Amino acid sequence: TIPLAYVVGILDWIHVQSIVLVGLVAVFVLEGVRLGIGLDWWIYEYLTREYEQDNVAGYALAVISASIVVLLAPPTIAVPALLMLTLGDPVSGLLGSGRIQSVGDGAHLELILKSPRALAVTFAVCTSIGLAFVTPIAALFGGFAATAADGVKPVIRTYVIDDNLTIPIASAAGIAIGLAIV
């Protein structure tokens, strides 16, 4: 809702940045308490996936990634990148979580890959989001980057590099590259 509040003129960009920074501090406190002290509130039972139980949770990775994008990119790039995460990723998630494919010996690196159907829908949704904000080339680059980040999740020594971290950063970079080309 925060990027959309900016789009409709409810918030100025500086307010968006301030809200994201407050969220970032809250995430560090919550995850610090959860992982450092071991206080495990009941809500984490419902909001975290199995692989997040002993690692930084996906919601925290999303806030960290959103903070990076909001603080480093202009609104033209940041807003669609955040919407690609908040709208594109859930659509993809509804279509399937993917299968695990080992790379190398499987002990140090695995990849979680999504189905081609899920990737096609993710690309369509993310590119459509981009088209509302940037040129078609930039939207295609952003949609492709978001789809790649969503479709391939590396697992390094049992730690999943969650797409909540990679989608906003990758799509913002893709949009920026697309804008630079045009």
Side-chain angles (χ1 to χ4, degrees):
T1 59
I2 293 170
L4 293 176
Y6 170 78
V7 170
V8 299
I10 295 172
L11 295 174
D12 292 327
W13 192 244
I14 190 72
H15 296 123
V16 171
Q17 291 174 316
S18 299
I19 291 168
V20 167
L21 280 175
V22 169
L24 183 63
V25 169
V27 158
F28 277 115
V29 170
L30 289 171
E31 286 296 288
V33 168
R34 183 177 76 89
L35 296 171
I37 297 172
L39 183 59
D40 200 11
W41 293 305
W42 66 269
I43 196 158
Y44 286 117
E45 298 287 326
Y46 300 102
L47 295 180
T48 58
R49 293 167 275 200
E50 184 178 326
Y51 67 82
E52 296 172 333
Q53 297 298 315
D54 297 322
N55 295 314
V56 177
Y59 83 93
L61 296 173
V63 172
I64 291 166
S65 178
S67 299
I68 291 168
V69 170
V70 165
L71 295 174
L72 296 180
T76 306
I77 294 172
V79 170
L82 296 181
L83 292 175
M84 287 180 189
L85 172 66
T86 58
L87 300 176
D89 186 41
V91 168
S92 172
L94 290 174
L95 296 174
S97 61
R99 66 185 192 285
I100 297 176
Q101 178 176 325
S102 295
V103 174
D105 63 3
H108 302 310
L109 177 66
E110 292 179 310
L111 298 176
I112 299 174
L113 305 174
K114 290 223 173 156
S115 73
R117 181 176 145 239
L119 294 176
V121 172
T122 301
F123 179 73
V125 169
C126 291
T127 301
S128 297
I129 290 167
L131 286 170
F133 297 94
V134 295
T135 65
I137 295 295
L140 285 169
F141 275 62
F144 178 77
T147 302
D150 181 61
V152 180
K153 292 183 196 177
V155 181
I156 301 171
R157 295 182 190 242
T158 73
Y159 186 80
V160 177
I161 308 299
D162 194 90
D163 58 6
N164 288 341
L165 179 66
T166 58
I167 290 173
I169 295 169
S171 58
I175 293 168
I177 291 167
L179 288 173
I181 289 173
V182 175

